[in-house]
DNA sequence: GTACCTGCAAACTTTTTGCTACCGA
DNA sequence: TCGGTAGCAAAAAGTTTGCAGGTAC
């Protein structure tokens, strides 16, 4: 949405900015993928070896609670995180390779809003994940 | 889709039907909600006190793998399960009460199929969860 | 008969938390 | 200054697994 970094947004929300939080914020800002906590920890550790896993957990949880990052789950048991302040998109999970493809589909957004209202709700958020296999990678089935 | 019970479908798939599996299948057949493993275990235990939690875990995992039940995740860290052979539906999560409302929206289904194809994928499955608050339960904000 | 299944307990993975020392505003 | 924060290690929560005995087909 804006060009603010995560650090900017932390400060705007009045969070106390420690060295560790700055590093984690930077890691998340730089990420173009959807790292899990272990991965964020690994990247942060390259900058500051002393950072602890518990701090990473506490920090991403905090960032999620104040809406600075989004927590994603792709069903593999680990939570993944991404900067919340990007154009809204959903995810397609490549079942063959595990790759995550992002896409935006305004039609879906509008439809979801409509559905929620029809059910008597105000939509506060949503999650949509598609799971698929590449079209050019489907094995022939019964016919030779 | 059909009127087959879960037990019927297990047999159709050639699964060995033990007493425990029958009980768990029955519990899932009777469930109108989305129980987690602990809850399935509790319900199964009422029928057979000797059943073990490990068996429930193993069985729902098996049922999920062969497509007899669907595994759902609502972000609370536990997996939930429901009979896969019901009219397809998605879920709206009531943020105020924690209730889960099911809905069917063919337009969404069609759109998802289209999106996957546009991205070069064959859609194998999807998950969509809406999160909302009841319209008649929203606090007035700034205007009186 | 035998391959597969179960119960039990131990192990594993991911995430949270109690405590003490420390640091940012 | 001083209340929030970090690190560490222990614990919690959910799930999986090795093993020995049991069971469906």
């Amino acid at each position: 949405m804006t060009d603010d970094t995560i650090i900017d947004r932390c400060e705007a929300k009045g969070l106390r900015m420690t060295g560790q939080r700055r590093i984690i914020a930077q890691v998340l800002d730089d990420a173009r993928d959807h790292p899990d906590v272990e991965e964020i920890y690994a990247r942060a550790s390259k900058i500051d070896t002393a950072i602890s896993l518990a701090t990473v957990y506490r920090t991403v949880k905090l960032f999620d609670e104040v809406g600075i990052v989004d927590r994603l789950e792709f069903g593999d048991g680990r939570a993944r995180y991404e900067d919340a302040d990007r154009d809204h998109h959903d995810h397609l999970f490549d079942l063959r390779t595990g790759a995550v493809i992002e896409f935006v589909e305004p039609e879906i957004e509008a439809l979801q809003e409509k559905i929620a209202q029809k059910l008597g709700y105000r939509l506060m958020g949503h999650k949509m994940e598609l799971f698929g296999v590449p079209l050019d990678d489907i094995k022939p089935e019964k016919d030779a």
Side-chain angles (χ1 to χ4, degrees), chain A:
Chain A
M1 231 84 163
T2 74
D3 288 330
D4 287 353
T5 64
I6 290 181
I7 295 178
D8 290 340
R9 280 175 277 146
C10 286
E11 286 169 349
K13 298 217 180 241
L15 300 185
R16 180 184 292 193
M17 289 316 285
T18 64
Q20 292 90 332
R21 287 187 182 173
R22 263 176 236 283
I23 290 172
I24 294 165
Q26 191 61 57
V27 165
L28 290 167
D29 242 340
D30 293 344
R32 289 283 155 277
D33 50 354
H34 311 85
D36 58 28
V37 171
E38 205 67 45
E39 180 60 30
I40 296 167
Y41 174 56
R43 295 181 195 174
S45 296
K46 286 186 191 160
I47 305 172
D48 174 3
T49 326
I51 206 163
S52 81
L53 186 55
T55 295
V56 178
Y57 271 105
R58 280 192 272 236
T59 303
V60 293
K61 187 177 190 180
L62 172 70
F63 286 180
D64 178 40
E65 282 165 0
V66 301
I68 284 176
V69 304
D70 284 333
R71 177 196 185 99
L72 309 172
E73 285 178 78
F74 294 125
D76 56 2
R78 280 161 297 174
R80 293 148 177 278
Y81 295 87
E82 70 174 6
D83 187 343
D85 196 23
R86 290 156 68 185
D87 287 335
H88 180 74
H89 58 263
D90 291 297
H91 299 95
L92 188 151
F93 196 73
D94 185 325
L95 293 170
R96 202 76 85 192
T97 67
V100 178
I101 292 131
E102 301 183 345
F103 64 89
V104 188
E105 190 59 51
E107 252 186 284
I108 289 265
E109 313 283 311
L111 212 42
Q112 289 173 332
E113 192 73 54
K114 213 173 72 183
I115 292 166
Q117 279 194 17
K118 195 162 64 181
L119 294 170
Y121 281 83
R122 182 162 105 182
L123 190 64
M124 303 301 283
H126 76 264
K127 269 194 304 195
M128 188 172 93
E129 286 115 42
L130 305 183
F131 299 87
V133 291
L135 280 174
D136 52 21
D137 189 34
I138 294 174
K139 298 192 188 76
E141 280 179 9
K142 45 189 78 159
D143 49 295

